[in-house]
Amino acid sequence: MARPLIPLPTPQQSGALTPELLGQFIRAKRTQSGLRIDDAAALLGVAKDTLSKLERGHSGVQLSTLLQVLNGLGIGLKVEPWTEGGDDDWV
């Protein structure tokens, strides 16, 4: 008998987006959608291992694949506008 799928809460973001936090968002959305990882991977057109890497915040996944997963799950990724020549922490 398969273990029941427990929907995870949507993570809270208080700082910069990290691979680990993005992975938490992906996993939460997948579980809230009632999808097991193998079913989600099949629906999204990616390998189960690839989806697992994304959910764990591991590197080595192509940007196009990440965007495919985000779009497929209905997760929006927003780039905030900046002012040119503003006070940045960049050196």
Side-chain angles (χ1 to χ4, degrees), residues 22-30 51 55 70 73 75:
L22 186 56
Q24 291 173 19
F25 278 109
I26 293 169
R27 186 170 187 209
K29 182 66 173 180
R30 174 182 62 78
L51 184 54
E55 290 188 358
L70 294 176
L73 290 173
I75 299 173

Side-chain angles (χ1 to χ4, degrees), residues 37-38 41-42 46-53:
I37 194 164
D38 51 339
V46 300
K48 178 182 170 184
D49 182 57
T50 300
L51 184 54
S52 178
K53 283 181 182 178

Side-chain angles (χ1 to χ4, degrees), residues 2 13 15-16 26 34 37 40 43 45 48 50-51 58 60 66-67 80 82 85 88 90:
Q13 183 177 355
I26 293 169
I37 194 164
L43 288 170
K48 178 182 170 184
T50 300
L51 184 54
H58 289 198
L66 169 62
L67 294 175
E80 294 286 332
W82 61 91
D88 293 329
W90 297 90

